[in-house]
Amino acid sequence: TLSSSSAASDVYKRQVLLTGVMSIGSVFDVPDTDGLVLDTGNAGALDITLEGVSVPKIGGVGDVRKSVSLNAERLKAGTATNR
């Protein structure tokens, strides 16, 4: 996940792996762990890539998203969020 703008974000699965604001240019390498989800207050600021390939955006600038699946197949298919 690369932040192109500020985005308050949490990545967790029972235990929080990342919490706070991702500044422009911040990178967080998500571990390959089943069941991880993401909450963010600025979905459009996040550029999510899998093995260097961008996946569909999970929302627009300023969109709040909760419990976004970080499952690779769902991210690729654009079905990771319940909009």
Side-chain angles (χ1 to χ4, degrees):
T1 303
L2 169 68
S3 184
S4 59
S5 184
S6 294
S9 304
D10 298 316
V11 175
Y12 59 93
K13 177 185 178 181
R14 293 190 196 128
Q15 173 184 341
V16 176
L17 302 178
L18 166 76
T19 190
V21 175
M22 292 185 69
S23 303
I24 296 171
S26 295
V27 175
F28 177 72
D29 291 324
V30 177
D32 186 12
T33 303
D34 289 337
L36 290 178
V37 293
L38 165 73
D39 290 347
T40 184
N42 190 0
L46 301 177
D47 296 316
I48 300 173
T49 61
L50 293 168
E51 298 177 356
V53 178
S54 292
V55 300
K57 288 281 198 179
I58 59 170
V61 173
D63 288 347
V64 174
R65 294 289 184 255
K66 300 279 186 183
S67 300
V68 176
S69 172
L70 294 181
N71 171 276
E73 294 308 312
R74 289 191 63 194
L75 286 166
K76 288 180 203 174
T79 60
T81 185
N82 299 321
R83 296 183 206 187

